[in-house]
């Protein structure tokens, strides 16, 4: 299976026709997610032993990046699904893993909380034992695919053990889950990212993912590499989408009285050259990060910390340039550039934010502990 070849048909038939509507109406891209499931792409990183494609982070990044060229909202939904799947492949029940592999189950992460903000690794939500069940209470602040996904990979304080957190598999239809409000934001308007409140949510004790108190280890060892890489892939794809639209516009738009195109202007070409360099640098760092993770290199954690921040900040610059060189035309919805410009604003403030990552990177390169 070549995932990009499979994705090409979905792009033409579903993703591209619905991208503008997804943004304009703030509508979850259900049709596209269903198409991805039917094509086997939701099971891309699920093990072959449960019916999945058995592919890895490299292929997941390629898929997320390609989707983001057209619809970053959909790309973020898929990013979070792959991150959750990476955890479930290690600790989840076989039935859920098979459902994901068969494209019948969408999962996501539920880490960020109102009380700890971008410090997603430090939940304040609680879990308490009640016979053979566990009762969860929480105020989750931002959950992608909230009440659209089938399950949440959920964090809480440990049940009884020492440690920062414990992870759980929570059915999205569990009694006691509520949505304080819907999302109506600047960008990524279709990814259904909203708060979730949990009040006396009862789950089975065996819904725990990994050991009690060891959630932090999974967050750092599994989730952070996957999320950083796939978030960066979303940013690199978004940059490619903005650049291709901008280049198309300046190449085709002409000054008839001068018999020249906008691309004939040296200033326009210089801006596009700068954007191309920024996008290529981010892609090179992304490729090197994936290689570092695969090889277990000594600089792996540094690359993981760098790649999301570098790609997020580059996307801000590249989409700004795309708006600049296209002028007033870029402000029109049908051009698609202003939508990517708005979507690009999200990654730099999505936990861990660029500023938090800068602090971590600074600690790493000066020999200080991260936590």
């Amino acid at each position: 299976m070549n995932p990009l070849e499979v994705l090409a048909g979905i792009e033409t038939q579903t993703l591209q026709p619905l991208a503008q509507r997804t943004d304009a109406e703030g509508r979850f891209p259900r049709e596209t997610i269903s198409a991805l499931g039917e094509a086997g792409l939701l099971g891309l990183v699920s093990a072959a032993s449960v019916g999945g494609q058995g592919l890895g982070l490299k292929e997941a990044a390629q898929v997320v990046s390609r989707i983001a060229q057209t619809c970053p909202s959909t790309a973020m939904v898929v990013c979070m699904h792959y991150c959750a799947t990476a955890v479930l492949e290690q600790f989840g029940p076989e039935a859920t893993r098979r459902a994901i592999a068969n494209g019948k189950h969408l999962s996501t992460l539920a880490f960020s909380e109102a009380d700890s903000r971008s410090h997603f690794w430090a939940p304040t939500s609680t879990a308490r034992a009640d016979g053979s069940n566990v009762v969860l209470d929480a105020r989750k602040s931002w959950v992608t695919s909230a009440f659209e996904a089938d399950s949440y990979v959920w964090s809480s304080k440990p049940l009884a053990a020492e440690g920062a957190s414990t992870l759980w598999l929570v059915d999205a239809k569990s009694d006691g889950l509520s949505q304080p409000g819907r999302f109506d934001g600047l960008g990524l308007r279709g990814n259904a990212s909203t708060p979730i409140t949990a009040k006396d949510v009862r789950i089975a004790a065996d819904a725990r993912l990994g050991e009690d108190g060891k959630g932090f280890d999974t967050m750092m060892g599994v989730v952070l590499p996957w999320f950083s890489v796939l978030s960066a892939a979303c940013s690199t794809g978004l940059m490619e989408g903005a650049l291709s639209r901008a280049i198309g516009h300046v190449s085709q738009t002409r000054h008839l009285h001068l018999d020249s195109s906008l691309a004939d202007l040296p200033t326009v070409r210089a801006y596009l050259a700068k954007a191309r360099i920024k996008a290529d640098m981010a892609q090179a760092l992304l490729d090197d990060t994936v290689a570092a993770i695969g090889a277990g290199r000594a600089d792996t954690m540094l690359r993981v910390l760098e790649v999301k921040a570098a790609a997020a900040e580059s996307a801000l610059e590249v989409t700004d340039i795309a708006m600049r060189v296209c002028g007033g035309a870029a402000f029109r919805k049908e051009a698609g550039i202003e939508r990517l410009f708005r979507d690009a604003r999200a990654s730099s403030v999505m936990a861990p934010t660029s500023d938090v990552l800068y602090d971590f990177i600074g600690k790493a390169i000066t020999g200080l502990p991260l936590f």
Side-chain angles (χ1 to χ4, degrees), residues 199-325:
K199 179 64 175 177
D200 295 331
V201 174
R202 302 176 71 84
I203 62 173
D206 63 5
R208 194 179 69 218
L209 300 171
E211 297 179 39
D212 190 26
K214 297 295 186 180
F216 178 85
D217 296 345
T218 302
M219 287 180 176
M220 295 298 112
V222 179
V223 177
L224 183 60
W226 276 78
F227 177 70
S228 292
V229 165
L230 297 184
S231 178
C234 189
S235 292
T236 58
L238 193 153
M239 284 186 268
E240 291 298 330
L243 264 174
S244 65
R245 288 166 173 78
I247 291 168
H249 177 77
V250 303
S251 299
Q252 296 165 14
T253 303
R254 302 190 66 79
H255 291 133
L256 293 181
H257 66 297
L258 299 175
D259 190 28
S260 64
S261 72
L262 292 179
D264 289 319
L265 295 173
T267 51
V268 168
R269 296 198 303 272
Y271 274 122
L272 288 173
K274 180 180 179 181
R276 181 72 268 167
I277 290 169
K278 286 287 185 179
D280 287 345
M281 288 171 64
Q283 184 63 54
L285 180 58
L286 175 57
D287 292 342
D288 188 63
T289 303
V290 173
I293 293 170
R297 282 180 2 207
D299 62 345
T300 295
M301 181 51 73
L302 180 60
R303 289 289 180 264
V304 166
L305 296 173
E306 290 173 334
V307 69
K308 177 182 179 291
E313 298 304 312
S314 294
L316 296 178
E317 294 186 53
V318 169
T319 54
D320 184 70
I321 288 172
M323 291 290 291
R324 180 187 293 266
V325 299

Side-chain angles (χ1 to χ4, degrees), residues 5-42:
E5 290 180 0
V6 174
L7 183 57
I10 298 172
E11 285 180 297
T12 303
Q13 297 171 17
T14 308
L15 190 63
Q16 292 172 357
L18 296 180
Q20 190 170 344
R21 188 193 74 178
T22 296
D23 174 73
E25 299 180 9
R27 183 186 296 197
F28 187 79
R30 177 57 63 188
E31 297 95 332
T32 304
I33 295 303
S34 296
L36 293 171
E38 292 170 5
L41 292 176
L42 291 186

Side-chain angles (χ1 to χ4, degrees), residues 8-308:
I10 298 172
E11 285 180 297
T12 303
Q13 297 171 17
T14 308
L15 190 63
Q16 292 172 357
L18 296 180
Q20 190 170 344
R21 188 193 74 178
T22 296
D23 174 73
E25 299 180 9
R27 183 186 296 197
F28 187 79
R30 177 57 63 188
E31 297 95 332
T32 304
I33 295 303
S34 296
L36 293 171
E38 292 170 5
L41 292 176
L42 291 186
L44 185 79
V45 302
S46 299
S49 61
V50 294
Q53 302 300 324
L55 298 176
L57 186 55
K58 177 181 177 180
E59 292 81 9
Q62 291 172 345
V63 168
V64 168
S65 182
R66 178 68 69 84
I67 294 172
Q69 293 182 29
T70 302
C71 184
S73 286
T74 304
M76 187 51 60
V77 170
V78 175
C79 162
M80 291 299 195
H81 171 74
Y82 288 156
C83 290
T85 300
V87 176
L88 294 170
E89 278 298 296
Q90 288 201 21
F91 303 113
E94 183 175 329
T96 302
R97 294 173 58 214
R98 287 193 178 278
I100 291 172
N102 292 326
K104 306 296 185 183
H105 187 107
L106 180 71
S107 195
T108 193
L109 302 178
F111 286 175
S112 296
E113 298 188 357
D115 295 325
S116 50
R117 312 305 297 171
S118 64
H119 297 181
F120 68 88
W121 57 88
T124 61
S125 62
T126 60
R128 68 181 188 276
D130 184 9
S132 61
N133 294 322
V134 169
V135 180
L136 302 175
D137 290 283
R139 289 197 305 148
K140 299 292 181 181
S141 55
W142 296 103
V143 180
T144 297
S145 306
F147 295 93
E148 296 287 352
D150 298 292
S151 67
Y152 307 115
V153 173
W154 185 280
S155 62
S156 74
K157 287 183 176 180
L159 189 63
E162 295 293 325
S165 63
T166 295
L167 301 184
W168 309 91
L169 177 62
V170 176
D171 189 321
K173 295 182 174 62
S174 298
D175 291 337
L177 294 178
S178 62
Q179 191 173 37
R182 301 197 66 80
F183 179 60
D184 184 14
L186 175 72
L188 295 183
R189 289 174 45 78
N191 76 341
S193 185
T194 70
I196 293 180
T197 298
K199 179 64 175 177
D200 295 331
V201 174
R202 302 176 71 84
I203 62 173
D206 63 5
R208 194 179 69 218
L209 300 171
E211 297 179 39
D212 190 26
K214 297 295 186 180
F216 178 85
D217 296 345
T218 302
M219 287 180 176
M220 295 298 112
V222 179
V223 177
L224 183 60
W226 276 78
F227 177 70
S228 292
V229 165
L230 297 184
S231 178
C234 189
S235 292
T236 58
L238 193 153
M239 284 186 268
E240 291 298 330
L243 264 174
S244 65
R245 288 166 173 78
I247 291 168
H249 177 77
V250 303
S251 299
Q252 296 165 14
T253 303
R254 302 190 66 79
H255 291 133
L256 293 181
H257 66 297
L258 299 175
D259 190 28
S260 64
S261 72
L262 292 179
D264 289 319
L265 295 173
T267 51
V268 168
R269 296 198 303 272
Y271 274 122
L272 288 173
K274 180 180 179 181
R276 181 72 268 167
I277 290 169
K278 286 287 185 179
D280 287 345
M281 288 171 64
Q283 184 63 54
L285 180 58
L286 175 57
D287 292 342
D288 188 63
T289 303
V290 173
I293 293 170
R297 282 180 2 207
D299 62 345
T300 295
M301 181 51 73
L302 180 60
R303 289 289 180 264
V304 166
L305 296 173
E306 290 173 334
V307 69
K308 177 182 179 291

Side-chain angles (χ1 to χ4, degrees), residues 311-368:
E313 298 304 312
S314 294
L316 296 178
E317 294 186 53
V318 169
T319 54
D320 184 70
I321 288 172
M323 291 290 291
R324 180 187 293 266
V325 299
C326 294
F331 283 74
R332 296 201 304 264
K333 298 288 186 181
E334 62 268 24
I337 295 174
E338 64 84 29
R339 173 168 56 84
L340 296 176
F341 174 86
R342 288 185 286 104
D343 287 345
R345 310 298 106 180
S347 186
S348 67
V349 296
M350 188 180 298
T353 67
S354 292
D355 289 334
V356 167
L357 289 169
Y358 289 153
D359 184 42
F360 283 167
I361 294 164
K363 288 178 178 179
I365 62 178
T366 56
L368 297 175

